[in-house]
Amino acid sequence: MNSEHTYFDVRINPLHSNPDLSVLFSGEGKPLPQHKMGPAVHDYYLIHTVLSGNGIFEIGGRTYTCSTGDTFIIYPGELFSYIADADTPWHYIWVAFTGRSASTTLSHIGATPEQAVISNSNTRKLRHYYRHIRASFQQTEFPELEELESEGWLKLLLRELGRTNTHHITTKQIAETDIQRQIGQAIRYLELQYTQAVSIEHLARSLGYHRTYLCKMFKQSTGSSPMQYLFNIRMERAKQLLQTAMTIDQVASSVGFNDALYFSKQFHKWSGSAPSVYRKELRNV
């Protein structure tokens, strides 16, 4: 047991290989009254959630009084300190992580170095995720799988914090964000389903919009209608495939056209050259 805690447990990731988002370690502790860390800096992100008790957290010249349900976030390179209350020292649980997507992910849940505390979270749910992160590292036979599992639980933890941290978003922002999100979803749908027979009517219904409204908002966002956007996706992909040894029929089928002749006419109209001519031109370059 750590001499500065009445309870202390930490589990270490034996691998740490994912450059995008990787858990380093996770733990739980009950520090003694007025136990202090810092002033110091870390080279990783470190999140603490207070399960009970009280303490004070400082980062970037800002001071936060934290209690049950508060989560405070230490950012790499930021000077911080924290201290347990003299009368009711906090009991907290933590996870440290790194990765090139970490900062963006935290900003998506409304956390920044300037606003480094998320309040009023559901400690029961968060404790469940923290415990699963630690449990991921109880076996060492397959460290690659342990790391994969811990990353999944970390993302669920961050999602739960994001659900809690919505006080900074206005009703207007929610409406605007919802429209943008739905347009983004429509774009992703077209980019992934362009090989299929796409129904804009069906797409609009699945997003909860009337077809006319979706088309209007889509054009405002992208500059083209959904069908025009889909057509351009198919033609651009066809250009790529025409650089391979695939037949015209195979290219047509691969970009959502059952009729190779119709595809050729549409490609000619779009590019100014028939597919076979376009392919010859590429070879002559």
Side-chain angles (χ1 to χ4, degrees):
M1 181 184 296
N2 186 300
S3 62
E4 297 179 319
H5 295 73
T6 59
Y7 172 78
F8 184 86
D9 177 57
V10 65
R11 304 293 171 84
I12 308 294
N13 179 0
L15 190 62
H16 176 44
S17 64
N18 187 348
D20 188 55
L21 188 67
S22 181
V23 176
L24 300 178
F25 57 86
S26 182
E28 182 174 351
K30 295 180 180 180
L32 297 173
Q34 293 191 301
H35 166 262
K36 185 176 182 180
M37 288 290 294
V41 295
H42 286 330
D43 59 358
Y44 49 80
Y45 298 86
L46 181 59
I47 293 178
H48 289 72
T49 296
V50 181
L51 301 177
S52 64
N54 303 281
I56 294 175
F57 170 58
E58 295 184 8
I59 189 170
R62 295 174 175 81
T63 301
Y64 306 87
T65 300
C66 299
S67 57
T68 304
D70 291 338
T71 295
F72 60 93
I73 305 168
I74 296 168
Y75 283 76
E78 293 281 346
L79 189 67
F80 74 90
S81 65
Y82 57 88
I83 184 169
D85 187 77
D87 299 318
T88 55
W90 47 20
H91 169 198
Y92 48 40
I93 197 163
W94 65 84
V95 61
F97 56 94
T98 60
R100 57 195 173 205
S101 70
S103 177
T104 300
T105 301
L106 288 172
S107 68
H108 286 166
I109 67 173
T112 65
E114 294 72 36
Q115 184 53 53
V117 173
I118 297 174
S119 301
N120 303 315
S121 55
N122 185 323
T123 56
R124 182 183 62 81
K125 285 186 177 181
L126 293 181
R127 193 173 192 176
H128 172 75
Y129 296 136
Y130 278 112
R131 283 180 169 174
H132 274 287
I133 291 172
R134 295 210 310 281
S136 301
F137 303 134
Q138 289 181 343
Q139 304 168 4
T140 57
E141 187 176 359
F142 302 105
E144 296 84 0
L145 300 183
E146 292 176 20
E147 181 172 50
L148 188 63
E149 180 180 348
S150 68
E151 290 163 11
W153 288 112
L154 173 61
K155 289 179 180 180
L156 290 173
L157 171 70
L158 295 174
R159 179 205 60 179
E160 183 62 30
L161 288 171
R163 286 179 172 177
T164 301
N165 196 33
T166 57
H167 63 276
H168 63 289
I169 304 177
T170 66
T171 302
K172 181 180 178 181
Q173 286 175 321
I174 291 173
E176 290 175 347
T177 301
D178 184 62
I179 293 171
Q180 292 167 358
R181 180 178 61 82
Q182 297 285 48
I183 294 301
Q185 188 171 339
I187 289 172
R188 286 190 293 275
Y189 180 90
L190 296 177
E191 289 175 342
L192 294 173
Q193 298 297 315
Y194 67 89
T195 63
Q196 308 299 318
V198 175
S199 166
I200 303 303
E201 185 74 36
H202 173 76
L203 175 59
R205 284 201 307 270
S206 69
L207 296 175
Y209 292 116
H210 188 276
R211 186 182 191 279
T212 302
Y213 181 73
L214 175 66
C215 290
K216 176 183 176 182
M217 299 306 298
F218 193 98
K219 189 164 188 176
Q220 286 182 5
S221 178
T222 67
S224 61
S225 71
M227 287 306 297
Q228 289 171 331
Y229 195 91
L230 173 63
F231 181 76
N232 285 331
I233 291 173
R234 287 171 166 168
M235 294 298 104
E236 290 291 348
R237 180 56 177 157
K239 280 176 61 176
Q240 295 173 351
L241 296 178
L242 287 170
Q243 299 175 42
T244 71
M246 294 174 66
T247 67
I248 302 300
D249 281 0
Q250 290 169 339
V251 171
S253 179
S254 297
V255 297
F257 288 85
N258 294 325
D259 186 334
L261 180 58
Y262 179 69
F263 159 72
S264 296
K265 290 180 178 178
Q266 294 300 310
F267 187 87
H268 190 180
K269 184 185 299 184
W270 180 77
S271 69
S273 301
S276 57
V277 175
Y278 179 81
R279 172 171 279 169
K280 289 179 182 178
E281 290 171 347
L282 285 175
R283 291 171 178 170
N284 294 329
V285 172

